[in-house]
Amino acid sequence: LPKDGDAPVTIDASGLQQLDTSAIAVLLECRRLAQAWGKAFEIKRPPPKLVALAELYGVGELLVHQG
């Protein structure tokens, strides 16, 4: 993840095919790092399964942003 500039940390999740708790954990760590750097974090084009998993684990509003 780049630390430079004012741009938010953005992940295009549209290509994710294998989703499980490990994927959620990695994305949450990316979010944590972005926050530590004082940056916004967003996930673009999340697959429906990612949205469902994030909601199941109670992190939907923290992790998944439609866009």
Side-chain angles (χ1 to χ4, degrees):
L1 296 173
K3 292 186 197 179
D4 300 329
D6 292 330
V9 175
T10 303
I11 294 178
D12 180 350
S14 62
L16 295 177
Q17 297 177 3
Q18 302 251 336
L19 298 165
D20 58 15
T21 56
S22 297
I24 297 290
V26 168
L27 292 170
L28 286 171
E29 178 64 10
C30 291
R31 180 181 179 271
R32 185 195 67 77
L33 288 171
Q35 287 181 328
W37 296 331
K39 294 184 169 283
F41 176 78
E42 59 188 5
I43 297 174
K44 299 282 187 171
R45 298 190 301 251
K49 186 174 179 182
L50 177 60
V51 174
L53 278 175
E55 290 174 0
L56 177 68
Y57 293 116
V59 296
E61 68 281 351
L62 300 175
L63 191 58
V64 178
H65 300 279
Q66 301 288 338

